[in-house]
Amino acid sequence: MIQEHGRRPYAIVQLRQDNSKASMYNLVGFQTNLKFGEQKRVFSMIPGLETAEFIKYGVMHRNTYINSSKLLRETYQLKSNPNIYFAGQITGVEGYVESISSGMVASLNAINQFKAKKENIIFPENTVIGALAKYISTPNQKFQPMNANFGILPELKGEKIKDKKERYKMLADRSLAKF
Amino acid sequence: MKNYITIIGGGLAGTEAAYQIAKRGIKVKLYEMKPIKFSEAHVNKNLAEIVCSNSFKSNLLTNACGLLKEELRRLDSLLINIADKTSIPAGQALAVDREKFSKEVSEEIENNELIDVIHEEVTNIDKMIKEGIVIIATGPLTSEKLSREIAKLTGEDKLYFYDAAAPIVSKESINFEIAFYGDRYSQEKKKEESIDKWKKRLSNGEGKEQSYINLPMNKEEYEKFYKELIHAEVVNLHDFEKKEIFEGCMPIEIMAKRGIDTLRFGPLKPVGFDDPRTRKKTVCNCATKTR
């Protein structure tokens, strides 16, 4: 009997789904200490990644962060002790601007608590500030630091817009309408 | 309850929080261990010291980090305002003069009458917590003593992690003329499946098949990639990082240097895959064997 199938490739690079929406994929086994520019240059040589957009580069460094997905509320407040807030990269947000964003949310909530106001300051998930707060406080068995990216925002309603720029512009408009 | 809010750590998050709180008329005690003690990566005495790149990334609204900056501007973020003020030309990115940036933030915070900056290492947080609200913003290089305190507080046993992360790409940027979905072994063409059905299954990524995307390489592609990988430039690690780095997680470029085929027997192992780009006809003996 003659069977038709593909040939076994010489090598395979596997990408593993990295978020529940399946919009991001990590390169399996590619933890690396290469410079970012080199990662883009060398990893783009992998067939299929010629024009890949690197949402995050591989890094190797010591990083201290708590398991916010278990410990924190969306206000960056410790669930087990409401007098304590965390902010910055120790919460698992990654990057300068992301750290500032967490400092903003934690302080606004601390202020309300200080003034004995009951309401929490929770930014809508459609905003990047809100999406980051939501990301770090959502239960996640494989919690890992995250930087700002459109993959953590809810998708636009209605028909999918093919043009990336156009889509990002609409996501930006949707967010800024909240401010 | 004390008449102030305590912040531990005078980095980007801590200084922004201090400013926001003081702006609303509340006193702040901001603890910063520099210049009494420095982390492995910090070198100057300023608050909000920028340790890695001097880029705050894109300023475009069509970039998530650019959008985040705009959101923060609208909330009167001190740090983004100072970053804008101390920016240097960097195309579409917001890059800062790092000296000027940290200096301006330090001045703004230290000259604020409501903010008391205390230069000492915090090693016991229990007392502070009993006295009022505390924001812990001690960063990725939190001192060892404080890390232990935080671990106690959170009930976790370890707080240090080695970030040995692999790069992440967006799915929409992957070329699916080449890439195909499927798990090792289950991706192979099933006997009863027609070639067309098989290809359709791999390009749609039905259900749980979506969890892996595969990028096949032929010999030539692999060897070209290999050569560039082993000669690519690496980041210089701080001494403190060198000591422990290779315990659990070996960088791919180090593994590759062991031999040209090491990766093909490791993470790039092709076993269990059929490349739908190629076609091969084989005589199947399985039926006769079992007879």
Side-chain angles (χ1 to χ4, degrees):
Chain A
M1 192 181 130
I2 305 273
Q3 274 264 339
E4 203 181 355
H5 58 85
R7 251 174 240 277
R8 173 183 291 186
Y10 192 70
I12 277 273
V13 173
Q14 278 204 297
L15 308 182
R16 187 190 294 119
Q17 185 181 334
D18 202 79
N19 61 345
S20 55
K21 268 170 47 194
S23 59
M24 303 191 250
Y25 281 77
N26 66 62
L27 280 68
V28 179
F30 273 65
Q31 60 268 23
T32 179
N33 192 35
L34 295 187
K35 289 189 167 166
F36 289 1
E38 289 287 81
Q39 290 186 38
K40 190 167 175 78
R41 181 180 68 84
V42 177
F43 300 157
S44 297
M45 291 175 69
I46 299 167
L49 296 186
E50 299 86 357
T51 57
E53 173 199 6
F54 287 82
I55 289 180
K56 214 167 143 176
Y57 286 103
V59 280
M60 306 207 67
H61 57 76
R62 190 178 72 129
N63 199 353
T64 307
Y65 60 93
I66 59 169
N67 185 0
S68 298
S69 70
K70 196 175 106 191
L71 299 167
L72 298 189
R73 301 176 55 213
E74 235 173 306
T75 53
Y76 291 87
Q77 195 173 22
L78 192 62
K79 282 180 187 163
S80 61
N81 185 339
N83 273 358
I84 304 171
Y85 292 80
F86 283 87
Q89 295 206 155
I90 198 164
T91 65
V93 296
E94 190 165 82
Y96 297 153
V97 186
E98 291 82 347
S99 292
I100 296 169
S101 165
S102 68
M104 178 71 82
V105 178
S107 62
L108 295 180
N109 282 286
I111 291 161
N112 264 12
Q113 190 188 350
F114 187 90
K115 291 184 170 167
K117 286 188 191 163
K118 285 227 170 70
E119 54 166 325
N120 293 316
I121 309 283
I122 294 173
F123 288 88
E125 212 188 327
N126 289 347
T127 66
V128 185
I129 298 181
L132 276 170
K134 176 104 181 170
Y135 170 82
I136 62 109
S137 59
T138 300
N140 181 347
Q141 293 249 316
K142 289 180 185 165
F143 182 68
Q144 282 245 337
M146 178 65 70
N147 48 15
N149 68 80
F150 283 122
I152 58 173
L153 268 66
E155 274 167 40
L156 289 162
K157 288 201 179 97
E159 214 177 304
K160 196 175 152 112
I161 299 151
K162 284 247 168 74
D163 183 62
K164 242 201 297 186
K165 270 259 159 69
E166 187 56 30
R167 192 163 73 245
Y168 293 162
K169 199 182 160 300
M170 289 184 69
L171 287 168
D173 290 345
R174 185 180 69 175
S175 157
L176 293 178
K178 308 278 181 193
F179 289 86
Chain B
M1 205 77 157
K2 291 283 183 199
N3 66 338
Y4 57 84
I5 292 176
T6 303
I7 299 175
I8 311 174
L12 296 173
T15 51
E16 181 68 54
Y19 171 80
Q20 295 299 333
I21 294 166
K23 190 181 143 185
R24 287 160 179 86
I26 301 166
K27 283 188 186 162
V28 176
K29 276 195 180 177
L30 175 64
Y31 286 86
E32 167 53 54
M33 70 176 182
K34 292 195 310 177
I36 314 297
K37 195 179 163 187
F38 285 90
S39 83
E40 305 92 319
H42 290 82
V43 291
N44 73 36
K45 62 178 187 2
N46 289 333
L47 299 172
E49 181 181 348
I50 305 280
V51 171
C52 297
S53 158
N54 70 328
S55 169
F56 280 54
K57 299 193 193 158
S58 177
N59 236 342
L60 298 177
L61 292 182
T62 48
N63 173 292
C65 195
L67 175 58
L68 179 58
K69 280 192 274 294
E70 184 55 29
E71 294 174 5
L72 288 165
R73 278 186 197 105
R74 296 190 181 194
L75 295 168
D76 183 35
S77 156
L78 172 73
L79 289 250
I80 299 297
N81 288 340
I82 293 183
D84 284 337
K85 230 172 102 184
T86 58
S87 66
I88 53 177
Q92 291 159 341
L94 172 60
V96 301
D97 176 318
R98 60 175 90 216
E99 270 293 306
K100 268 192 200 157
F101 172 80
S102 316
K103 226 175 138 204
E104 286 227 15
V105 176
S106 302
E107 280 168 14
E108 187 76 36
I109 295 295
E110 276 157 11
N111 294 337
N112 191 311
E113 284 180 358
L114 290 175
I115 304 173
D116 185 10
V117 183
I118 302 158
H119 294 279
E120 64 177 58
E121 184 188 1
V122 174
T123 54
N124 185 341
I125 33 183
D126 285 350
K127 195 167 154 270
M128 290 177 179
I129 294 159
K130 278 180 197 127
E131 288 175 352
I133 299 169
V134 178
I135 300 178
I136 301 172
T138 49
L141 298 172
T142 297
S143 74
E144 272 187 47
K145 281 181 196 160
L146 194 54
S147 288
R148 276 197 294 271
E149 285 278 299
I150 294 169
K152 246 186 353 198
L153 200 68
T154 54
E156 305 272 289
D157 50 350
K158 61 166 188 179
L159 268 192
Y160 305 55
F161 294 85
Y162 245 113
D163 234 354
I168 296 176
V169 295
S170 69
K171 182 170 76 181
E172 59 189 12
S173 69
I174 298 168
N175 176 4
F176 278 93
E177 305 255 309
I178 294 169
F180 54 87
Y181 286 104
D183 222 340
R184 202 181 288 277
Y185 301 111
S186 70
Q187 171 273 345
E188 287 174 305
K189 183 179 160 303
K190 290 172 187 142
K191 268 195 199 134
E192 66 281 6
E193 228 170 9
S194 71
I195 282 271
D196 286 343
K197 240 187 159 173
W198 171 53
K199 286 198 168 180
K200 208 173 156 200
R201 172 164 67 92
L202 299 185
S203 59
N204 291 351
E206 295 158 13
K208 65 171 192 202
E209 310 235 10
Q210 278 224 4
S211 57
Y212 283 96
I213 293 172
N214 308 289
L215 307 166
M217 286 171 139
N218 61 32
K219 190 163 189 276
E220 197 190 335
E221 288 162 338
Y222 177 80
E223 286 173 354
K224 214 171 133 201
F225 165 74
Y226 176 80
K227 213 177 120 206
E228 292 301 323
L229 178 64
I230 57 168
H231 292 118
E233 220 181 322
V234 298
V235 179
N236 272 332
L237 289 174
H238 293 282
D239 287 341
F240 71 93
E241 290 172 316
K242 257 182 232 160
K243 281 179 254 161
E244 311 159 56
I245 205 146
F246 300 128
E247 280 170 18
C249 45
M250 182 174 295
I252 190 148
E253 63 276 11
I254 304 261
M255 192 189 288
K257 281 178 189 163
R258 292 181 164 183
I260 186 153
D261 284 326
T262 309
L263 296 180
R264 295 207 310 121
F265 288 97
L268 272 63
K269 171 170 75 186
V271 177
F273 289 103
D274 280 349
D275 182 353
R277 285 189 302 177
T278 59
R279 285 210 173 179
K280 188 183 181 184
K281 286 182 180 167
T282 47
V283 180
C284 177
N285 295 322
C286 17
T288 46
K289 262 184 203 161
T290 45
R291 219 172 263 163

